Amino acid sequence: MFTSADVMDLRKKTGAGIADCKKALTETDGDMDKAVDFLREKGIATAAKKASRIAAEGIVAAKVNGNTGVLVEVNCETDFVAKGDQYKAFVDSVADYVMNNDVKDDEALIEAMKEETINVTAKIGEKISVRRFAKFTAGNGVVTSYIHMGGKVGVLVEVEGCTCDGTKELAHEIALQIAAAKPLYLTEAEVPAEVLEHEKEILKAQALNEGKPVAIVDRMVEGRVKKYYEENCLLKQAFVKDPSITIEKLVKDYSNKMGKQLTVKRFVRFEMGEGLEKRVNDFAAEVEAQMKK
């Protein structure tokens, strides 16, 4: 009645999922044109057209199971959809997939969820886009997540040393710190050499533009680099709940209190939509377009 090539051809024409294409061809006895109409009538063939829209809203979601935690970002077009149960269920399914599978990278996740993304796009009525993920599995330690502002910011952090309640408490405090203070790196050593050199050039130019004597500029730059570390490296940051100590000191205090050597191994912070193109509404153009209709 129809072949796999027909299914792929219909999928290419409509953007619908393979299962939906098979159903459409079955329902229409293999008639390609009728199958396209069938999918359009069901609202499924519209998903492909939505692929070019801007999806810069959405949520960041986390899931922790035992010593493994995942963080995912899935985007949509409007904040209204981001608050809907159907959309949230899809985001949860993405997190589940990452939790239960060995996913190589963001591109592999996007490909793995392609069919489901097309289907949910058709059902919800606006573009849905799986963007990125992180997954940590602790050895002798804990993984903690924190979601802020209903999914606008998400954090995943791993603390090694032991799996006791004290470690979980420390991990939670650090997750809150990361959400609030936005560190870019864990330690000074993680700052890429090219980033540091670029920063030094900017700081040197600033000092010279301020009219500082050339003889003391280098010393000033050293001081300002130290300040850069304190602002951008997690362990050097002042603890937001007690600025009199650093995160490095906080970890040391917990280690001494518990009699264990605790270490912040890694972290990731996702801020929903960061770096994505945002929708710009031109009200005058919209009115003009409506009048032309």
Side-chain angles (χ1 to χ4, degrees), residues 155-225:
V155 172
L156 200 64
V157 60
E158 179 182 351
V159 176
E160 292 287 335
C162 73
T163 58
C164 47
D165 290 342
T167 310
K168 295 175 183 177
E169 182 180 298
L170 173 63
H172 178 69
E173 294 289 0
I174 290 175
L176 295 178
Q177 171 79 21
I178 294 164
K182 306 180 182 180
L184 299 176
Y185 312 100
L186 177 60
T187 66
E188 297 159 277
E190 285 189 4
V191 181
E194 60 273 19
V195 171
L196 189 58
E197 285 307 310
H198 179 66
E199 193 65 24
K200 285 180 177 179
E201 289 174 9
I202 292 174
L203 295 172
K204 186 173 183 177
Q206 286 176 351
L208 291 172
N209 289 335
E210 290 169 4
K212 304 298 182 184
V214 176
I216 67 168
V217 165
D218 287 342
R219 195 160 66 249
M220 288 183 63
V221 168
E222 287 180 12
R224 292 182 181 183
V225 166

Side-chain angles (χ1 to χ4, degrees), residues 56-69:
E57 295 296 332
I59 57 175
V60 177
K63 191 176 288 274
V64 176
N65 185 4
N67 65 340
T68 297

Side-chain angles (χ1 to χ4, degrees), residues 116-134:
E116 291 85 349
T117 304
I118 290 173
N119 291 337
V120 78
T121 293
K123 290 175 183 176
I124 288 178
E126 67 177 52
K127 181 181 178 182
I128 308 299
S129 177
V130 177
R131 186 185 184 194
R132 54 182 172 168
F133 80 95

